[in-house]
Amino acid sequence: MIYLLNWCWSKDQGAYPQPGAVDGWLGFWLRIKCSICIVLGLKGRDPYNFDIVPVAIGPMSTFQTFDGPGASWSELGVGYGCLHWRYYEIRNGI
């Protein structure tokens, strides 16, 4: 739990072409909401929900496959809606 809270409030570790985490007042509110969800243990199970906003992005790692190069990174996201109080640990990539 402490690791997730530190990650939620840490500086974004994203690199191009990763999308950035949300910023400004909305980003501050969503980080508070994510922290509350982490403390209460409200972890979501469906990472393919389109209502998730990333609040923290981990470093990108690259790899080589038979199809060519690839990249992946981890994201900590929270539901955007007023009634959507869940946090998500998502693995994303290109």
Side-chain angles (χ1 to χ4, degrees):
M1 177 171 74
I2 300 297
Y3 168 74
L4 289 174
L5 289 173
N6 284 337
W7 186 23
C8 180
W9 291 96
S10 68
K11 188 174 187 284
D12 188 22
Q13 300 174 6
Y16 183 79
Q18 292 171 266
V22 68
D23 253 346
W25 284 104
L26 180 62
F28 181 72
W29 162 245
L30 289 175
R31 287 177 196 264
I32 290 174
K33 183 178 178 181
C34 186
S35 298
I36 292 170
C37 291
I38 290 170
V39 169
L40 295 177
L42 301 174
K43 184 173 183 178
R45 301 194 193 286
D46 182 18
Y48 300 106
N49 189 339
F50 293 108
D51 197 22
I52 300 170
V53 178
V55 295
I57 298 175
M60 181 170 58
S61 62
T62 58
F63 53 88
Q64 184 69 30
T65 65
F66 291 112
D67 296 331
S72 68
W73 58 88
S74 56
E75 297 177 355
L76 182 63
V78 68
Y80 181 72
C82 295
L83 300 176
H84 193 164
W85 284 80
R86 300 266 187 241
Y87 78 93
Y88 299 85
E89 292 179 76
I90 305 163
R91 195 79 180 148
N92 206 342
I94 53 173

